[in-house]
Amino acid sequence: MQIRLWLLPILLIMSGCALSNNYYVLSTAAQPSQHYRQKHRVIGVEKVTVPKYLFKREIAVAKSPSQITFLDGAVWAEDLDVGLTQRLIGFLQKKFNQPNVYAYPWGVDRQPTIKIKVQITRFIAQGDKVYLDANWEIENLRTHRRKAKLFSAAVPTASDAASIVSAMDSAFGMLERDIAKGINIF
């Protein structure tokens, strides 16, 4: 009987800790106000690569250029590399008004005509801004012609998790539009 009385508070404390986390995802791709003309292309999107600190489920914040901390109780609900890849695919499908945008490589009959590669090198809140630095590359798989570009954005934010996630969402939206523009003129 004494063991049960001792075990009950521990279980309540543990369940309280588990319920205190707030889970975040970046929103789904926005509906673009303008569509690009479809050019009968199949677009392959490689998995977006992200810095190692984004592999943790906690939301990272830079205290200085060399120190990162994690927000208490603020947790990503998905792996960011997978979530960002799916969001980019969804955005490109909407922007080009076509379903032929897929994760690359894949085992479908139609091979892509264009492959997109995105490498995020910095995606973190520091001070009153969220910073997103990335490079992206478009490759025509038939002609092997390539176009690469560096991307950088800074979006104002407050210090709470919801504001940081909202600013990250805006910054990634800018990157998506930049990539779509690059595909359109490629």
Side-chain angles (χ1 to χ4, degrees):
M1 185 71 154
Q2 252 182 349
I3 294 175
R4 284 188 204 164
L5 292 175
W6 180 75
L7 189 58
L8 183 61
I10 291 175
L11 290 174
L12 289 173
I13 290 170
M14 290 176 61
S15 67
C17 291
L19 297 175
S20 66
N21 285 340
N22 292 307
Y23 293 91
Y24 295 91
V25 295
L26 294 181
S27 67
T28 58
Q31 186 63 40
S33 58
Q34 175 192 25
H35 292 89
Y36 289 136
R37 192 172 54 103
Q38 182 184 28
K39 297 181 180 178
H40 303 290
R41 307 184 258 206
V42 177
I43 300 172
V45 178
E46 285 189 4
K47 184 186 274 187
V48 174
T49 60
V50 297
K52 297 287 184 200
Y53 58 81
L54 292 176
F55 284 128
K56 295 183 76 66
R57 285 293 175 111
E58 296 92 357
I59 296 177
V61 175
K63 292 293 183 185
S64 72
S66 61
Q67 181 184 9
I68 294 174
T69 63
F70 296 95
L71 295 178
D72 289 333
V75 181
W76 291 111
E78 63 184 352
D79 292 333
L80 276 187
D81 55 345
V82 174
L84 294 174
T85 303
Q86 291 305 314
R87 177 170 154 168
L88 178 58
I89 289 169
F91 179 80
L92 294 175
Q93 287 172 334
K94 292 174 184 178
K95 189 69 174 175
F96 288 96
N97 200 24
Q98 69 163 332
N100 293 326
V101 181
Y102 305 101
Y104 179 88
W106 68 90
V108 296
D109 293 336
R110 291 187 70 186
Q111 292 300 311
T113 51
I114 293 178
K115 179 175 74 169
I116 310 299
K117 181 178 183 176
V118 179
Q119 179 181 16
I120 294 176
T121 55
R122 181 180 183 204
F123 198 20
I124 197 163
Q126 183 176 357
D128 62 350
K129 291 188 176 38
V130 162
Y131 296 94
L132 172 57
D133 296 331
N135 57 68
W136 54 263
E137 179 181 276
I138 302 169
E139 179 183 1
N140 183 317
L141 294 176
R142 292 184 182 149
T143 65
H144 299 289
R145 193 178 92 178
R146 295 174 188 234
K147 175 183 182 175
K149 185 175 177 193
L150 294 175
F151 176 87
S152 187
V155 178
T157 187
S159 60
D160 62 291
S163 296
I164 291 170
V165 171
S166 179
M168 292 177 95
D169 189 61
S170 295
F172 194 75
M174 293 175 191
L175 176 60
E176 289 172 324
R177 290 187 295 278
D178 194 54
I179 292 168
K181 182 179 176 185
I183 293 169
N184 190 51
I185 61 176
F186 184 67

